[in-house]
Amino acid sequence: MNGPVVITQPKTAFQVDRLTIKYDDGQGAVYAPLEDFSIKIREGEVTCLLGPSGCGKTTLLKALGGFVIGESTGGVLFDGQFQQGPTPEIVMIFQENNLFPWLNVRSNVAFGLKFMPREKVRPEALDEMLEAVGLQEAAKRYPHQLSGGMRQRTVIARALITDPRVLLLDEPFSALDVSLRRRMQQLLHDLWEKTGMTMVMVTHSIEEALYVGHRVLVLGGRPAGVVIDADTRDPALKDRYSDAYLQLQRRIESVIY
Ligand code: ADP
Ligand code: MG
């Protein structure tokens, strides 16, 4: 039987609408990395943001998270509602991973649960999360007793324990060596497969963006605009040696460097 053809459009998670963010440059002048900037981020996708250093990537990510910074006009709609401030549905992992040095891994991860209503906390959630990121064995260790990868996994576990709908990541793996980086990228990829969570990740690595992302946005110019908006789901783009990969890499590099 043929029913009506239903074409489902992916939902919009974030709509950035003519956003201008101005900073005081400390010398009496005003600097606006984002001016009249508009973009839509789709729900359930992994969107990667690339762009030259200082172009406004972190500023944009913070704006998505509802961390109002500087002076702003325009706004960000999340789920069709104007963002008024941070919400537990959106968690952000910053570049520098700040674990509490006086808490062990288990307590660091459990920290996020404090902000959840009691009835929403499943008692087994903590152990499940430690298991999922492979930290069961290290649960009693303190941050200074962890490798870089373990620390970053703790940070991710702490962010995920509250079961957020959106994960915002600001160059989360830049301090890790190549093999750990790959493992963490795999972890993110698996997490997405399991949850279909909306993620926006800023990265300096084109390889990382193409591997983890469904869509790559390259920002450039002053004030920043979207210079490249590419769908990166094509399996050829997951192969670092394919022509399609190299072509896109060349295009992106011409903007970034
Ligand atoms: P990116 O993450 O792309 O490197 P940022 O969003 O961090 O760029 O910064 C964009 C620009 O805004 C930079 O020139 C930076 O110096 C400036 N900037 C960022 N945060 C502040 C702030 N809190 N106060 C003043 N200027 C800032
Ligand atoms: Mg930044």
Side-chain angles (χ1 to χ4, degrees):
M1 237 182 358
N2 288 327
V5 179
V6 180
I7 299 169
T8 48
Q9 293 281 358
K11 272 181 65 186
T12 299
F14 293 101
Q15 181 170 356
V16 179
D17 190 24
R18 285 164 298 160
L19 182 67
T20 297
I21 293 183
K22 291 180 187 158
Y23 290 122
D24 184 337
D25 76 349
Q27 291 162 20
V30 169
Y31 174 64
L34 297 178
E35 211 172 301
D36 238 3
F37 183 93
S38 298
I39 196 165
K40 283 182 183 170
I41 305 282
R42 290 185 285 269
E43 189 171 286
E45 273 188 11
V46 180
T47 302
C48 289
L49 287 176
L50 287 160
S53 174
C55 77
K57 303 178 297 295
T58 297
T59 300
L60 176 59
L61 208 62
K62 285 182 182 167
L64 295 179
F67 304 98
V68 180
I69 35 161
E71 197 188 311
S72 64
T73 58
V76 176
L77 295 153
F78 173 58
D79 248 0
Q81 305 276 344
F82 261 105
Q83 283 276 62
Q84 307 278 6
T87 112
E89 290 183 305
I90 304 172
V91 291
M92 182 153 171
I93 294 179
F94 293 93
Q95 209 161 351
E96 53 298 318
N97 57 27
N98 295 314
L99 291 172
F100 302 110
W102 60 89
L103 296 179
N104 66 22
V105 167
R106 193 181 174 84
S107 304
N108 262 288
V109 175
F111 191 82
L113 294 174
K114 287 188 200 216
F115 304 99
M116 285 175 75
R118 260 178 180 254
E119 64 278 10
K120 278 204 167 170
V121 179
R122 290 182 306 116
E124 60 286 6
L126 183 54
D127 284 307
E128 282 174 14
M129 185 53 68
L130 289 168
E131 182 80 49
V133 296
L135 284 171
Q136 278 292 38
E137 310 279 297
K140 292 208 171 104
R141 290 206 220 163
Y142 287 83
H144 72 274
Q145 299 169 312
L146 304 173
S147 67
M150 288 166 132
R151 270 200 292 274
Q152 202 56 333
R153 276 182 283 156
T154 309
V155 169
I156 290 179
R158 185 177 61 186
L160 294 176
I161 192 98
T162 56
D163 206 10
R165 284 179 50 205
V166 178
L167 193 56
L168 304 175
L169 306 118
D170 194 2
E171 300 185 31
F173 311 137
S174 49
L176 306 179
D177 67 48
V178 178
S179 73
L180 260 178
R181 230 186 141 114
R182 293 247 161 91
R183 291 230 295 276
M184 297 307 296
Q185 291 163 359
Q186 185 68 48
L187 183 93
L188 265 197
H189 181 79
D190 294 348
L191 173 72
W192 181 84
E193 297 238 292
K194 244 194 278 173
T195 62
M197 192 183 282
T198 305
M199 299 187 202
V200 184
M201 173 162 74
V202 174
T203 172
H204 268 306
S205 158
I206 297 174
E207 185 189 341
E208 181 164 283
L210 297 188
Y211 174 67
V212 183
H214 301 116
R215 180 190 189 193
V216 168
L217 293 173
V218 184
L219 304 186
R222 274 171 187 250
V226 176
V227 187
I228 298 173
D229 180 352
D231 189 308
T232 56
R233 256 170 279 236
D234 181 354
L237 292 174
K238 307 299 167 192
D239 169 10
R240 285 186 291 143
Y241 303 101
S242 73
D243 287 343
Y245 181 100
L246 294 170
Q247 257 178 35
L248 184 54
Q249 183 180 35
R250 195 168 300 136
R251 250 178 87 206
I252 296 173
E253 281 178 359
S254 73
V255 175
I256 297 184
Y257 305 124

